[in-house]
Amino acid sequence: MNVFDVHSQQFRNFTIVDASGRRNAKWAYDILEDEADNLWIASYMGGIFVVNRNTLLETKGPIIASKNFSKANGLLEDFANQIVDNGRGKMLALFYNKGISSIDRGTGKISELKDKEKSFHPSAYSLLKNIVNLK
């Protein structure tokens, strides 16, 4: 991940990894900052990483994410395409052609969102848009 430093007029590169060092956020599809200054980073094949913005900017070298959500602990896949805060304590992660995972920010519990018929919604993006508009 790269961040542009306005003062130096240069990009600064950050390497974000999980606690094991095996997963990384080098290829990020989406980044969302919550009200606690945490960055939620949707990565390709690394799942979702959570890193405090201030910790990120103050650290030199690789940054170990405070949390990493993956298929191994409940996400639909390891490549989330979009993240949205539903405004009610949950982060919603969109997986194109798969569906939506809901992450409880307090407990870390992951669940799958389904439509009224309790099945996979063929247009997960439309479902996500409708959920967010309900806030």
Side-chain angles (χ1 to χ4, degrees), residues 41-69:
I41 304 163
S43 71
Y44 175 72
M45 300 310 291
I48 297 173
F49 294 83
V50 181
V51 178
N52 181 272
R53 180 176 52 89
N54 296 322
T55 301
L56 177 82
L57 295 174
E58 294 168 1
T59 303
K60 303 227 184 288
I63 295 116
I64 298 172
S66 58
K67 296 177 186 167
N68 175 238
F69 300 99

Side-chain angles (χ1 to χ4, degrees), residues 1-27:
M1 186 170 90
N2 293 300
V3 174
F4 186 72
D5 183 332
V6 178
H7 300 293
S8 69
Q9 294 291 299
Q10 294 182 356
F11 282 96
R12 185 169 164 208
N13 181 268
F14 296 94
T15 301
I16 301 167
V17 298
D18 69 344
S20 73
R22 284 182 262 155
R23 295 178 170 275
N24 65 65
K26 288 183 181 178
W27 186 346

Side-chain angles (χ1 to χ4, degrees), residues 64-78:
I64 298 172
S66 58
K67 296 177 186 167
N68 175 238
F69 300 99
S70 68
K71 189 173 181 178
N73 58 13
L75 285 183
L76 287 171
E77 289 293 338
D78 283 333

Side-chain angles (χ1 to χ4, degrees), residues 66-103:
S66 58
K67 296 177 186 167
N68 175 238
F69 300 99
S70 68
K71 189 173 181 178
N73 58 13
L75 285 183
L76 287 171
E77 289 293 338
D78 283 333
F79 53 89
N81 300 96
Q82 185 177 1
I83 304 173
V84 175
D85 185 340
N86 78 349
R88 296 183 299 259
K90 305 251 170 109
M91 289 299 203
L92 308 177
L94 171 68
F95 301 88
Y96 292 132
N97 298 320
K98 289 284 185 177
I100 300 171
S101 288
S102 173
I103 305 169

